[in-house]
mmCIF file of all heavy atoms in Angstrom:
data_model
loop_
_atom_site.group_PDB
_atom_site.id
_atom_site.type_symbol
_atom_site.label_atom_id
_atom_site.label_comp_id
_atom_site.label_asym_id
_atom_site.label_seq_id
_atom_site.Cartn_x
_atom_site.Cartn_y
_atom_site.Cartn_z
ATOM 1 N N LEU A 1 70.184 -41.958 -66.944
ATOM 2 C CA LEU A 1 68.906 -42.245 -66.306
ATOM 3 C C LEU A 1 68.341 -41.038 -65.566
ATOM 4 O O LEU A 1 69.084 -40.227 -65.019
ATOM 5 C CB LEU A 1 69.066 -43.398 -65.310
ATOM 6 C CG LEU A 1 69.503 -44.749 -65.882
ATOM 7 C CD1 LEU A 1 69.616 -45.770 -64.763
ATOM 8 C CD2 LEU A 1 68.535 -45.228 -66.945
ATOM 9 N N PRO A 2 67.022 -40.922 -65.517
ATOM 10 C CA PRO A 2 66.421 -39.881 -64.678
ATOM 11 C C PRO A 2 66.851 -40.063 -63.228
ATOM 12 O O PRO A 2 66.873 -41.198 -62.730
ATOM 13 C CB PRO A 2 64.915 -40.138 -64.833
ATOM 14 C CG PRO A 2 64.767 -40.854 -66.134
ATOM 15 C CD PRO A 2 65.995 -41.700 -66.252
ATOM 16 N N PRO A 3 67.186 -38.989 -62.517
ATOM 17 C CA PRO A 3 67.558 -39.117 -61.102
ATOM 18 C C PRO A 3 66.417 -39.732 -60.296
ATOM 19 O O PRO A 3 65.242 -39.429 -60.522
ATOM 20 C CB PRO A 3 67.819 -37.668 -60.677
ATOM 21 C CG PRO A 3 68.140 -36.939 -61.948
ATOM 22 C CD PRO A 3 67.304 -37.601 -63.002
ATOM 23 N N VAL A 4 66.773 -40.583 -59.364
ATOM 24 C CA VAL A 4 65.772 -41.295 -58.572
ATOM 25 C C VAL A 4 64.807 -40.342 -57.888
ATOM 26 O O VAL A 4 63.588 -40.581 -57.855
ATOM 27 C CB VAL A 4 66.457 -42.220 -57.543
ATOM 28 C CG1 VAL A 4 65.464 -42.724 -56.506
ATOM 29 C CG2 VAL A 4 67.124 -43.390 -58.250
ATOM 30 N N ASP A 5 65.337 -39.232 -57.333
ATOM 31 C CA ASP A 5 64.452 -38.334 -56.590
ATOM 32 C C ASP A 5 63.464 -37.599 -57.493
ATOM 33 O O ASP A 5 62.495 -37.018 -57.014
ATOM 34 C CB ASP A 5 65.258 -37.340 -55.747
ATOM 35 C CG ASP A 5 66.117 -36.394 -56.574
ATOM 36 O OD1 ASP A 5 66.182 -36.544 -57.818
ATOM 37 O OD2 ASP A 5 66.750 -35.497 -55.979
ATOM 38 N N GLN A 6 63.680 -37.643 -58.820
ATOM 39 C CA GLN A 6 62.754 -37.002 -59.748
ATOM 40 C C GLN A 6 61.687 -37.961 -60.286
ATOM 41 O O GLN A 6 60.767 -37.540 -60.991
ATOM 42 C CB GLN A 6 63.525 -36.367 -60.909
ATOM 43 C CG GLN A 6 64.398 -35.196 -60.477
ATOM 44 C CD GLN A 6 65.083 -34.510 -61.644
ATOM 45 O OE1 GLN A 6 64.562 -34.481 -62.762
ATOM 46 N NE2 GLN A 6 66.261 -33.957 -61.392
ATOM 47 N N ILE A 7 61.827 -39.246 -59.954
ATOM 48 C CA ILE A 7 60.833 -40.223 -60.428
ATOM 49 C C ILE A 7 60.284 -41.063 -59.270
ATOM 50 O O ILE A 7 59.694 -42.120 -59.496
ATOM 51 C CB ILE A 7 61.412 -41.139 -61.523
ATOM 52 C CG1 ILE A 7 62.684 -41.840 -61.034
ATOM 53 C CG2 ILE A 7 61.661 -40.356 -62.799
ATOM 54 C CD1 ILE A 7 63.143 -42.959 -61.953
ATOM 55 N N THR A 8 60.469 -40.585 -58.042
ATOM 56 C CA THR A 8 59.903 -41.289 -56.893
ATOM 57 C C THR A 8 58.395 -41.458 -57.083
ATOM 58 O O THR A 8 57.697 -40.516 -57.454
ATOM 59 C CB THR A 8 60.186 -40.496 -55.603
ATOM 60 O OG1 THR A 8 61.594 -40.381 -55.434
ATOM 61 C CG2 THR A 8 59.579 -41.198 -54.399
ATOM 62 N N GLY A 9 57.920 -42.654 -56.842
ATOM 63 C CA GLY A 9 56.507 -42.971 -57.079
ATOM 64 C C GLY A 9 56.309 -43.892 -58.265
ATOM 65 O O GLY A 9 55.290 -44.564 -58.372
ATOM 66 N N PHE A 10 57.293 -43.931 -59.164
ATOM 67 C CA PHE A 10 57.310 -44.923 -60.239
ATOM 68 C C PHE A 10 58.114 -46.138 -59.771
ATOM 69 O O PHE A 10 59.050 -46.010 -58.981
ATOM 70 C CB PHE A 10 57.960 -44.350 -61.504
ATOM 71 C CG PHE A 10 57.133 -43.308 -62.208
ATOM 72 C CD1 PHE A 10 57.397 -41.958 -62.028
ATOM 73 C CD2 PHE A 10 56.094 -43.680 -63.054
ATOM 74 C CE1 PHE A 10 56.642 -40.995 -62.673
ATOM 75 C CE2 PHE A 10 55.330 -42.721 -63.702
ATOM 76 C CZ PHE A 10 55.605 -41.377 -63.512
ATOM 77 N N ASN A 11 57.768 -47.319 -60.274
ATOM 78 C CA ASN A 11 58.548 -48.506 -59.927
ATOM 79 C C ASN A 11 59.095 -49.264 -61.133
ATOM 80 O O ASN A 11 59.719 -50.316 -60.976
ATOM 81 C CB ASN A 11 57.751 -49.447 -59.008
ATOM 82 C CG ASN A 11 56.403 -49.842 -59.579
ATOM 83 O OD1 ASN A 11 56.162 -49.759 -60.774
ATOM 84 N ND2 ASN A 11 55.496 -50.265 -58.695
ATOM 85 N N VAL A 12 58.883 -48.721 -62.336
ATOM 86 C CA VAL A 12 59.479 -49.288 -63.553
ATOM 87 C C VAL A 12 59.893 -48.138 -64.459
ATOM 88 O O VAL A 12 59.100 -47.219 -64.706
ATOM 89 C CB VAL A 12 58.498 -50.200 -64.312
ATOM 90 C CG1 VAL A 12 59.153 -50.769 -65.576
ATOM 91 C CG2 VAL A 12 57.989 -51.333 -63.432
ATOM 92 N N VAL A 13 61.126 -48.200 -64.957
ATOM 93 C CA VAL A 13 61.605 -47.246 -65.957
ATOM 94 C C VAL A 13 61.920 -48.027 -67.226
ATOM 95 O O VAL A 13 62.636 -49.038 -67.181
ATOM 96 C CB VAL A 13 62.847 -46.486 -65.472
ATOM 97 C CG1 VAL A 13 63.488 -45.707 -66.618
ATOM 98 C CG2 VAL A 13 62.473 -45.540 -64.339
ATOM 99 N N ALA A 14 61.373 -47.563 -68.365
ATOM 100 C CA ALA A 14 61.571 -48.232 -69.648
ATOM 101 C C ALA A 14 62.486 -47.396 -70.530
ATOM 102 O O ALA A 14 62.126 -46.284 -70.952
ATOM 103 C CB ALA A 14 60.236 -48.461 -70.340
ATOM 104 N N LEU A 15 63.675 -47.925 -70.803
ATOM 105 C CA LEU A 15 64.617 -47.284 -71.711
ATOM 106 C C LEU A 15 64.096 -47.418 -73.138
ATOM 107 O O LEU A 15 63.788 -48.511 -73.604
ATOM 108 C CB LEU A 15 65.986 -47.954 -71.607
ATOM 109 C CG LEU A 15 66.702 -47.880 -70.256
ATOM 110 C CD1 LEU A 15 67.838 -48.896 -70.202
ATOM 111 C CD2 LEU A 15 67.238 -46.473 -70.018
ATOM 112 N N SER A 16 64.025 -46.309 -73.849
ATOM 113 C CA SER A 16 63.427 -46.327 -75.185
ATOM 114 C C SER A 16 64.446 -45.847 -76.229
ATOM 115 O O SER A 16 65.170 -44.891 -75.965
ATOM 116 C CB SER A 16 62.217 -45.411 -75.204
ATOM 117 O OG SER A 16 61.327 -45.735 -74.144
ATOM 118 N N PHE A 17 64.533 -46.501 -77.357
ATOM 119 C CA PHE A 17 63.906 -47.735 -77.801
ATOM 120 C C PHE A 17 64.965 -48.690 -78.337
ATOM 121 O O PHE A 17 66.008 -48.250 -78.827
ATOM 122 C CB PHE A 17 62.882 -47.453 -78.905
ATOM 123 C CG PHE A 17 61.614 -46.816 -78.393
ATOM 124 C CD1 PHE A 17 61.418 -45.438 -78.492
ATOM 125 C CD2 PHE A 17 60.617 -47.589 -77.813
ATOM 126 C CE1 PHE A 17 60.254 -44.857 -78.031
ATOM 127 C CE2 PHE A 17 59.439 -47.015 -77.355
ATOM 128 C CZ PHE A 17 59.260 -45.641 -77.457
ATOM 129 N N LEU A 18 64.668 -49.978 -78.260
ATOM 130 C CA LEU A 18 65.499 -51.015 -78.887
ATOM 131 C C LEU A 18 64.815 -51.379 -80.194
ATOM 132 O O LEU A 18 63.757 -52.014 -80.203
ATOM 133 C CB LEU A 18 65.622 -52.226 -77.968
ATOM 134 C CG LEU A 18 66.457 -53.402 -78.472
ATOM 135 C CD1 LEU A 18 67.887 -52.970 -78.775
ATOM 136 C CD2 LEU A 18 66.445 -54.541 -77.464
ATOM 137 N N THR A 19 65.394 -50.968 -81.315
ATOM 138 C CA THR A 19 64.740 -51.105 -82.612
ATOM 139 C C THR A 19 65.339 -52.254 -83.413
ATOM 140 O O THR A 19 66.316 -52.889 -83.016
ATOM 141 C CB THR A 19 64.875 -49.809 -83.425
ATOM 142 O OG1 THR A 19 66.229 -49.685 -83.899
ATOM 143 C CG2 THR A 19 64.527 -48.579 -82.588
ATOM 144 N N LEU A 20 64.751 -52.491 -84.580
ATOM 145 C CA LEU A 20 65.289 -53.515 -85.476
ATOM 146 C C LEU A 20 66.720 -53.205 -85.879
ATOM 147 O O LEU A 20 67.513 -54.121 -86.147
ATOM 148 C CB LEU A 20 64.413 -53.616 -86.731
ATOM 149 C CG LEU A 20 62.993 -54.147 -86.528
ATOM 150 C CD1 LEU A 20 62.200 -53.998 -87.824
ATOM 151 C CD2 LEU A 20 63.006 -55.598 -86.069
ATOM 152 N N ALA A 21 67.066 -51.933 -85.920
ATOM 153 C CA ALA A 21 68.413 -51.521 -86.317
ATOM 154 C C ALA A 21 69.370 -51.393 -85.140
ATOM 155 O O ALA A 21 70.526 -51.021 -85.318
ATOM 156 C CB ALA A 21 68.345 -50.194 -87.072
ATOM 157 N N GLY A 22 68.917 -51.721 -83.949
ATOM 158 C CA GLY A 22 69.754 -51.614 -82.761
ATOM 159 C C GLY A 22 69.171 -50.651 -81.752
ATOM 160 O O GLY A 22 68.085 -50.101 -81.939
ATOM 161 N N ALA A 23 69.900 -50.433 -80.672
ATOM 162 C CA ALA A 23 69.441 -49.532 -79.615
ATOM 163 C C ALA A 23 69.521 -48.086 -80.078
ATOM 164 O O ALA A 23 70.471 -47.687 -80.748
ATOM 165 C CB ALA A 23 70.270 -49.731 -78.355
ATOM 166 N N ARG A 24 68.536 -47.289 -79.687
ATOM 167 C CA ARG A 24 68.481 -45.880 -80.035
ATOM 168 C C ARG A 24 68.197 -45.071 -78.768
ATOM 169 O O ARG A 24 67.703 -45.579 -77.768
ATOM 170 C CB ARG A 24 67.378 -45.620 -81.071
ATOM 171 C CG ARG A 24 67.623 -46.296 -82.414
ATOM 172 C CD ARG A 24 68.802 -45.659 -83.141
ATOM 173 N NE ARG A 24 69.021 -46.233 -84.459
ATOM 174 C CZ ARG A 24 69.939 -47.146 -84.734
ATOM 175 N NH1 ARG A 24 70.693 -47.622 -83.757
ATOM 176 N NH2 ARG A 24 70.100 -47.577 -85.968
ATOM 177 N N ASP A 25 68.492 -43.785 -78.833
ATOM 178 C CA ASP A 25 68.126 -42.835 -77.778
ATOM 179 C C ASP A 25 68.585 -43.323 -76.403
ATOM 180 O O ASP A 25 69.742 -43.648 -76.223
ATOM 181 C CB ASP A 25 66.630 -42.532 -77.845
ATOM 182 C CG ASP A 25 66.201 -42.001 -79.215
ATOM 183 O OD1 ASP A 25 67.024 -41.331 -79.863
ATOM 184 O OD2 ASP A 25 65.061 -42.239 -79.633
ATOM 185 N N GLN A 26 67.701 -43.390 -75.433
ATOM 186 C CA GLN A 26 68.114 -43.726 -74.072
ATOM 187 C C GLN A 26 68.559 -45.183 -73.939
ATOM 188 O O GLN A 26 69.426 -45.498 -73.109
ATOM 189 C CB GLN A 26 66.973 -43.433 -73.094
ATOM 190 C CG GLN A 26 66.771 -41.948 -72.813
ATOM 191 C CD GLN A 26 67.881 -41.368 -71.961
ATOM 192 O OE1 GLN A 26 68.974 -41.069 -72.450
ATOM 193 N NE2 GLN A 26 67.614 -41.224 -70.671
ATOM 194 N N ALA A 27 67.993 -46.072 -74.722
ATOM 195 C CA ALA A 27 68.465 -47.467 -74.704
ATOM 196 C C ALA A 27 69.908 -47.541 -75.177
ATOM 197 O O ALA A 27 70.741 -48.258 -74.597
ATOM 198 C CB ALA A 27 67.569 -48.340 -75.580
ATOM 199 N N GLN A 28 70.216 -46.808 -76.202
ATOM 200 C CA GLN A 28 71.587 -46.768 -76.718
ATOM 201 C C GLN A 28 72.528 -46.115 -75.710
ATOM 202 O O GLN A 28 73.636 -46.616 -75.463
ATOM 203 C CB GLN A 28 71.618 -45.986 -78.031
ATOM 204 C CG GLN A 28 73.011 -45.860 -78.643
ATOM 205 C CD GLN A 28 73.004 -44.989 -79.886
ATOM 206 O OE1 GLN A 28 72.393 -43.913 -79.885
ATOM 207 N NE2 GLN A 28 73.643 -45.431 -80.937
ATOM 208 N N ALA A 29 72.098 -45.005 -75.124
ATOM 209 C CA ALA A 29 72.955 -44.293 -74.180
ATOM 210 C C ALA A 29 73.311 -45.165 -72.985
ATOM 211 O O ALA A 29 74.456 -45.170 -72.516
ATOM 212 C CB ALA A 29 72.263 -43.006 -73.716
ATOM 213 N N PHE A 30 72.332 -45.916 -72.482
ATOM 214 C CA PHE A 30 72.608 -46.798 -71.349
ATOM 215 C C PHE A 30 73.567 -47.907 -71.748
ATOM 216 O O PHE A 30 74.513 -48.225 -71.014
ATOM 217 C CB PHE A 30 71.311 -47.397 -70.809
ATOM 218 C CG PHE A 30 71.505 -48.224 -69.570
ATOM 219 C CD1 PHE A 30 71.675 -47.617 -68.335
ATOM 220 C CD2 PHE A 30 71.531 -49.611 -69.631
ATOM 221 C CE1 PHE A 30 71.872 -48.369 -67.186
ATOM 222 C CE2 PHE A 30 71.720 -50.376 -68.491
ATOM 223 C CZ PHE A 30 71.895 -49.751 -67.265
ATOM 224 N N ALA A 31 73.366 -48.495 -72.919
ATOM 225 C CA ALA A 31 74.227 -49.589 -73.374
ATOM 226 C C ALA A 31 75.665 -49.122 -73.588
ATOM 227 O O ALA A 31 76.605 -49.928 -73.469
ATOM 228 C CB ALA A 31 73.672 -50.191 -74.660
ATOM 229 N N GLN A 32 75.851 -47.842 -73.890
ATOM 230 C CA GLN A 32 77.192 -47.328 -74.157
ATOM 231 C C GLN A 32 77.948 -46.914 -72.891
ATOM 232 O O GLN A 32 79.127 -46.580 -72.961
ATOM 233 C CB GLN A 32 77.112 -46.153 -75.134
ATOM 234 C CG GLN A 32 76.725 -46.597 -76.543
ATOM 235 C CD GLN A 32 76.610 -45.442 -77.516
ATOM 236 O OE1 GLN A 32 76.385 -44.295 -77.131
ATOM 237 N NE2 GLN A 32 76.741 -45.735 -78.796
ATOM 238 N N LEU A 33 77.291 -46.944 -71.741
ATOM 239 C CA LEU A 33 77.996 -46.739 -70.479
ATOM 240 C C LEU A 33 78.933 -47.920 -70.224
ATOM 241 O O LEU A 33 78.737 -49.013 -70.759
ATOM 242 C CB LEU A 33 77.002 -46.623 -69.320
ATOM 243 C CG LEU A 33 76.066 -45.411 -69.308
ATOM 244 C CD1 LEU A 33 75.046 -45.562 -68.194
ATOM 245 C CD2 LEU A 33 76.855 -44.115 -69.150
ATOM 246 N N SER A 34 79.920 -47.708 -69.391
ATOM 247 C CA SER A 34 80.792 -48.832 -69.026
ATOM 248 C C SER A 34 79.995 -49.831 -68.190
ATOM 249 O O SER A 34 78.956 -49.495 -67.604
ATOM 250 C CB SER A 34 81.986 -48.330 -68.226
ATOM 251 O OG SER A 34 81.570 -47.888 -66.935
ATOM 252 N N ALA A 35 80.487 -51.047 -68.130
ATOM 253 C CA ALA A 35 79.809 -52.081 -67.346
ATOM 254 C C ALA A 35 79.682 -51.662 -65.888
ATOM 255 O O ALA A 35 78.628 -51.885 -65.255
ATOM 256 C CB ALA A 35 80.563 -53.404 -67.460
ATOM 257 N N ASP A 36 80.726 -51.038 -65.346
ATOM 258 C CA ASP A 36 80.672 -50.590 -63.947
ATOM 259 C C ASP A 36 79.615 -49.504 -63.757
ATOM 260 O O ASP A 36 78.898 -49.492 -62.746
ATOM 261 C CB ASP A 36 82.035 -50.068 -63.499
ATOM 262 C CG ASP A 36 83.053 -51.178 -63.285
ATOM 263 O OD1 ASP A 36 82.636 -52.362 -63.220
ATOM 264 O OD2 ASP A 36 84.247 -50.872 -63.177
ATOM 265 N N GLN A 37 79.506 -48.585 -64.714
ATOM 266 C CA GLN A 37 78.494 -47.532 -64.619
ATOM 267 C C GLN A 37 77.083 -48.125 -64.681
ATOM 268 O O GLN A 37 76.211 -47.727 -63.913
ATOM 269 C CB GLN A 37 78.684 -46.517 -65.749
ATOM 270 C CG GLN A 37 79.886 -45.606 -65.592
ATOM 271 C CD GLN A 37 80.069 -44.719 -66.800
ATOM 272 O OE1 GLN A 37 80.114 -45.180 -67.943
ATOM 273 N NE2 GLN A 37 80.168 -43.414 -66.562
ATOM 274 N N ARG A 38 76.872 -49.049 -65.598
ATOM 275 C CA ARG A 38 75.552 -49.676 -65.708
ATOM 276 C C ARG A 38 75.188 -50.412 -64.425
ATOM 277 O O ARG A 38 74.064 -50.314 -63.925
ATOM 278 C CB ARG A 38 75.503 -50.648 -66.893
ATOM 279 C CG ARG A 38 75.567 -49.983 -68.256
ATOM 280 C CD ARG A 38 75.117 -50.916 -69.364
ATOM 281 N NE ARG A 38 75.874 -52.152 -69.417
ATOM 282 C CZ ARG A 38 76.984 -52.337 -70.111
ATOM 283 N NH1 ARG A 38 77.486 -51.339 -70.827
ATOM 284 N NH2 ARG A 38 77.591 -53.505 -70.113
ATOM 285 N N THR A 39 76.162 -51.134 -63.869
ATOM 286 C CA THR A 39 75.915 -51.884 -62.633
ATOM 287 C C THR A 39 75.547 -50.957 -61.487
ATOM 288 O O THR A 39 74.602 -51.214 -60.724
ATOM 289 C CB THR A 39 77.150 -52.717 -62.259
ATOM 290 O OG1 THR A 39 77.404 -53.669 -63.300
ATOM 291 C CG2 THR A 39 76.939 -53.453 -60.947
ATOM 292 N N ALA A 40 76.282 -49.857 -61.366
ATOM 293 C CA ALA A 40 76.035 -48.915 -60.274
ATOM 294 C C ALA A 40 74.662 -48.256 -60.413
ATOM 295 O O ALA A 40 73.915 -48.113 -59.431
ATOM 296 C CB ALA A 40 77.135 -47.858 -60.233
ATOM 297 N N LYS A 41 74.310 -47.834 -61.624
ATOM 298 C CA LYS A 41 73.040 -47.155 -61.832
ATOM 299 C C LYS A 41 71.867 -48.121 -61.634
ATOM 300 O O LYS A 41 70.842 -47.768 -61.043
ATOM 301 C CB LYS A 41 73.009 -46.529 -63.230
ATOM 302 C CG LYS A 41 73.976 -45.344 -63.359
ATOM 303 C CD LYS A 41 73.952 -44.736 -64.735
ATOM 304 C CE LYS A 41 74.937 -43.582 -64.829
ATOM 305 N NZ LYS A 41 74.633 -42.490 -63.885
#
């Protein structure tokens, strides 16, 4: 994820993209983190 201090002023971050073939790019990267990492972030 982008560091919080680099996106201050935004209030929604959209992980891109969840495609017909599954998660790709940042959506995939987030899904592949451990459950504890996802929870913390």
Side-chain angles (χ1 to χ4, degrees):
L1 298 180
V4 167
D5 64 355
Q6 293 184 30
I7 56 168
T8 300
F10 289 99
N11 55 21
V12 180
V13 169
L15 297 164
S16 308
F17 286 99
L18 180 59
T19 73
L20 293 172
R24 295 291 183 260
D25 304 329
Q26 285 288 79
Q28 179 184 45
F30 185 78
Q32 290 179 336
L33 294 173
S34 70
D36 287 346
Q37 287 175 308
R38 291 197 303 271
T39 298
K41 291 180 181 299

